[in-house]
Amino acid sequence: QVQLVESGGGLVQAGGSLRLACAASGRTSSGYTLAWFRQAPGKEREFVAAISRTSSTYYRGSVRGRFTISTDDAKNAVFLQMNSLKPEDTSVYYCAWGASSIYETDKARYNYWGQGTQVTVSS
């Protein structure tokens, strides 16, 4: 079992920044991908960014250049620095673990999920 706990969400004005954090514990192991997804009301959960154990990264197009995913040295925490936020970034953001590739954007490929943290960007 892997436990994931997100923090750092909140309300911010358009153009502002937020930093999300996700602490991973339990039976984490090398070779798996950590990722962030998001889900807006009435929409499907969508891939945002992923990072491998070797720190390779991949982003969805709409956040590339604005968001940065990173991990701590022990690979037990993953962060999402979000800059130049837009109202369309408003969603519940989820940390996910378990896919075999950073290019895996299908949520079904991830085994474990956090509870989510709300990000609201006002215009």
Side-chain angles (χ1 to χ4, degrees):
Q1 286 279 44
V2 174
Q3 294 80 40
L4 302 170
V5 179
E6 301 100 334
S7 60
L11 172 65
V12 64
Q13 288 188 330
S17 298
L18 280 175
R19 179 177 169 87
L20 305 182
C22 173
S25 60
R27 295 189 174 186
T28 59
S29 61
S30 63
Y32 288 99
T33 297
L34 281 162
W36 288 96
F37 283 71
R38 65 187 182 186
Q39 187 168 17
K43 294 189 176 182
E44 291 288 320
R45 191 170 298 188
E46 64 182 20
F47 171 85
V48 176
I51 188 166
S52 72
R53 291 291 176 169
T54 58
S55 299
S56 296
T57 58
Y58 181 65
Y59 300 90
R60 72 178 296 109
S62 63
V63 308
R64 193 172 295 124
R66 300 189 296 123
F67 291 11
T68 302
I69 189 171
S70 62
T71 61
D72 66 346
D73 290 342
K75 304 293 190 291
N76 289 327
V78 60
F79 307 97
L80 188 67
Q81 177 67 43
M82 304 185 294
N83 299 328
S84 302
L85 282 160
K86 304 175 181 180
E88 51 264 43
D89 294 318
T90 294
S91 288
V92 177
Y93 283 72
Y94 296 90
C95 177
W97 181 92
S100 59
S101 166
I102 59 171
Y103 304 108
E104 187 54 76
T105 61
D106 182 353
K107 58 184 181 294
R109 299 298 185 181
Y110 289 82
N111 306 99
Y112 297 97
W113 295 85
Q115 81 287 353
T117 185
Q118 177 71 47
V119 171
T120 303
V121 184
S122 63
S123 57

